[in-house]
Coordinates of all heavy atoms in Angstrom, one line a residue:
S182 N -24.8 19.2 -13.3 CA -25.5 19.8 -14.4 C -25.6 21.3 -14.3 O -25.5 22.1 -15.3 CB -26.9 19.2 -14.5 OG -27.7 19.8 -15.5
Q183 N -25.8 21.8 -13.1 CA -26.0 23.3 -12.9 C -24.7 24.0 -13.1 O -24.6 25.1 -13.7 CB -26.5 23.5 -11.4 CG -26.6 25.0 -11.1 CD -27.1 25.2 -9.7 OE1 -27.3 24.2 -9.0 NE2 -27.2 26.4 -9.3
R184 N -23.6 23.4 -12.7 CA -22.3 24.0 -12.8 C -21.7 24.1 -14.2 O -20.8 24.8 -14.5 CB -21.3 23.4 -11.9 CG -21.6 23.7 -10.4 CD -20.6 23.0 -9.5 NE -20.9 23.3 -8.1 CZ -20.4 22.6 -7.1 NH1 -19.6 21.6 -7.3 NH2 -20.7 22.9 -5.9
K185 N -22.3 23.2 -15.1 CA -21.8 23.3 -16.5 C -22.1 24.6 -17.1 O -21.3 25.1 -17.9 CB -22.5 22.2 -17.3 CG -22.0 20.8 -17.0 CD -22.7 19.7 -17.9 CE -22.2 18.3 -17.6 NZ -22.9 17.3 -18.4
E186 N -23.2 25.3 -16.6 CA -23.5 26.6 -17.2 C -22.5 27.6 -16.7 O -22.3 28.7 -17.4 CB -24.9 27.0 -16.7 CG -26.0 26.0 -17.1 CD -27.3 26.3 -16.6 OE1 -27.4 27.4 -15.8 OE2 -28.3 25.6 -16.8
D187 N -21.8 27.4 -15.6 CA -20.9 28.4 -15.1 C -19.5 28.1 -15.6 O -18.5 28.9 -15.2 CB -20.9 28.4 -13.5 CG -22.3 28.7 -13.0 OD1 -23.0 29.5 -13.6 OD2 -22.6 28.1 -11.9
R188 N -19.2 27.1 -16.4 CA -17.9 26.6 -16.8 C -17.2 27.7 -17.6 O -16.0 28.1 -17.3 CB -18.0 25.3 -17.6 CG -16.6 24.8 -18.1 CD -15.8 24.3 -17.0 NE -14.5 23.7 -17.5 CZ -14.3 22.4 -17.6 NH1 -15.2 21.6 -17.2 NH2 -13.1 22.0 -18.0
V189 N -17.9 28.3 -18.5 CA -17.3 29.4 -19.3 C -16.9 30.6 -18.5 O -15.8 31.1 -18.7 CB -18.3 29.9 -20.4 CG1 -17.7 31.0 -21.2 CG2 -18.7 28.7 -21.3
F190 N -17.7 30.9 -17.5 CA -17.3 32.1 -16.6 C -16.1 31.7 -15.8 O -15.2 32.6 -15.7 CB -18.5 32.4 -15.7 CG -18.2 33.4 -14.7 CD1 -18.1 34.7 -15.0 CD2 -18.0 33.0 -13.4 CE1 -17.8 35.7 -14.0 CE2 -17.7 33.9 -12.4 CZ -17.6 35.2 -12.7
M191 N -16.0 30.5 -15.3 CA -14.9 30.1 -14.4 C -13.6 30.1 -15.2 O -12.6 30.3 -14.7 CB -15.2 28.8 -13.7 CG -16.3 28.9 -12.7 SD -16.3 27.4 -11.6 CE -16.9 26.2 -12.8
E192 N -13.7 29.7 -16.5 CA -12.5 29.6 -17.3 C -11.8 31.0 -17.5 O -10.6 31.0 -17.8 CB -12.8 28.9 -18.6 CG -13.1 27.5 -18.5 CD -13.2 26.8 -19.9 OE1 -12.9 27.5 -20.9 OE2 -13.6 25.6 -20.0
E193 N -12.6 32.0 -17.3 CA -12.1 33.4 -17.5 C -11.5 33.9 -16.2 O -10.9 35.0 -16.2 CB -13.1 34.3 -18.0 CG -13.7 33.9 -19.4 CD -12.6 33.9 -20.5 OE1 -11.7 34.8 -20.4 OE2 -12.6 33.0 -21.3
T194 N -11.6 33.2 -15.1 CA -11.1 33.6 -13.8 C -9.6 33.7 -13.9 O -8.9 32.8 -14.4 CB -11.5 32.7 -12.7 OG1 -12.9 32.6 -12.7 CG2 -11.0 33.2 -11.4
V195 N -9.0 34.8 -13.4 CA -7.6 35.1 -13.4 C -7.0 34.8 -12.0 O -7.5 35.2 -11.0 CB -7.3 36.5 -13.8 CG1 -5.8 36.8 -13.8 CG2 -7.9 36.8 -15.2
L196 N -5.9 34.1 -12.0 CA -5.2 33.9 -10.7 C -4.5 35.2 -10.2 O -3.9 35.9 -11.0 CB -4.0 32.8 -10.9 CG -4.4 31.3 -10.9 CD1 -3.2 30.5 -11.4 CD2 -4.8 30.9 -9.5
N197 N -4.7 35.5 -8.9 CA -4.0 36.7 -8.4 C -2.6 36.3 -8.0 O -2.2 35.1 -8.1 CB -4.8 37.3 -7.2 CG -4.9 36.3 -6.1 OD1 -4.0 35.6 -5.7 ND2 -6.1 36.3 -5.4
D198 N -1.8 37.2 -7.6 CA -0.4 37.0 -7.4 C -0.1 35.9 -6.3 O 0.7 35.0 -6.4 CB 0.4 38.3 -7.0 CG 0.6 39.2 -8.2 OD1 0.3 38.7 -9.3 OD2 0.9 40.4 -8.0
D199 N -0.9 36.0 -5.2 CA -0.7 35.1 -4.1 C -1.1 33.7 -4.5 O -0.4 32.7 -4.1 CB -1.6 35.5 -2.9 CG -1.0 36.8 -2.2 OD1 0.2 37.0 -2.4 OD2 -1.8 37.4 -1.5
E200 N -2.1 33.5 -5.3 CA -2.5 32.2 -5.8 C -1.5 31.6 -6.7 O -1.2 30.4 -6.7 CB -3.9 32.3 -6.5 CG -5.1 32.6 -5.5 CD -6.4 32.8 -6.3 OE1 -6.3 33.3 -7.4 OE2 -7.4 32.5 -5.7
L201 N -0.9 32.5 -7.5 CA 0.1 32.0 -8.5 C 1.4 31.6 -7.7 O 2.0 30.6 -8.0 CB 0.4 33.1 -9.5 CG 1.4 32.7 -10.6 CD1 0.8 31.5 -11.4 CD2 1.6 33.9 -11.5
K202 N 1.8 32.4 -6.7 CA 2.9 32.0 -5.9 C 2.7 30.7 -5.2 O 3.7 29.9 -5.2 CB 3.2 33.1 -4.8 CG 3.6 34.4 -5.3 CD 3.8 35.4 -4.2 CE 4.1 36.8 -4.7 NZ 4.1 37.8 -3.6
L203 N 1.5 30.4 -4.7 CA 1.2 29.2 -4.1 C 1.4 28.0 -5.0 O 2.0 27.0 -4.7 CB -0.2 29.2 -3.5 CG -0.7 28.0 -2.7 CD1 0.2 27.8 -1.5 CD2 -2.1 28.1 -2.3
R204 N 1.0 28.2 -6.3 CA 1.1 27.1 -7.3 C 2.6 26.8 -7.6 O 3.0 25.7 -7.9 CB 0.4 27.4 -8.6 CG -1.1 26.9 -8.6 CD -2.0 27.7 -7.7 NE -3.3 27.2 -7.6 CZ -4.2 27.7 -6.8 NH1 -3.9 28.7 -5.9 NH2 -5.5 27.2 -6.7
V205 N 3.4 27.9 -7.6 CA 4.8 27.8 -7.9 C 5.5 27.0 -6.8 O 6.3 26.1 -7.0 CB 5.5 29.1 -8.1 CG1 7.0 29.0 -8.1 CG2 5.0 29.8 -9.3
I206 N 5.0 27.2 -5.5 CA 5.6 26.5 -4.4 C 5.2 25.0 -4.5 O 6.0 24.1 -4.2 CB 5.1 27.1 -3.1 CG1 5.7 28.4 -2.8 CG2 5.3 26.1 -1.9 CD1 5.3 29.1 -1.6
W207 N 3.9 24.7 -4.9 CA 3.5 23.3 -5.1 C 4.5 22.6 -6.1 O 4.9 21.5 -6.0 CB 2.1 23.2 -5.7 CG 1.0 23.7 -4.7 CD1 1.2 24.0 -3.4 CD2 -0.4 23.8 -5.0 NE1 0.0 24.4 -2.9 CE2 -1.0 24.2 -3.8 CE3 -1.1 23.6 -6.1 CZ2 -2.4 24.5 -3.8 CZ3 -2.5 23.8 -6.1 CH2 -3.1 24.2 -4.9
T208 N 4.8 23.4 -7.2 CA 5.6 22.9 -8.3 C 7.0 22.5 -7.8 O 7.6 21.5 -8.1 CB 5.7 23.9 -9.5 OG1 4.4 24.2 -9.9 CG2 6.6 23.4 -10.6
I209 N 7.6 23.5 -7.0 CA 8.9 23.3 -6.5 C 9.0 22.1 -5.6 O 9.9 21.2 -5.6 CB 9.4 24.5 -5.7 CG1 9.6 25.7 -6.7 CG2 10.7 24.3 -5.0 CD1 9.8 27.0 -6.1

Side-chain angles (χ1 to χ4, degrees):
S182 177
Q183 180 181 355
R184 287 180 181 163
K185 284 181 181 178
E186 301 175 2
D187 302 326
R188 178 70 176 256
V189 176
F190 172 77
M191 288 193 293
E192 288 187 10
E193 297 301 320
T194 303
V195 178
L196 279 169
N197 61 41
D198 285 350
D199 288 339
E200 290 173 330
L201 187 57
K202 290 176 187 177
L203 185 60
R204 270 72 183 173
V205 172
I206 288 178
W207 294 355
T208 302
I209 294 170

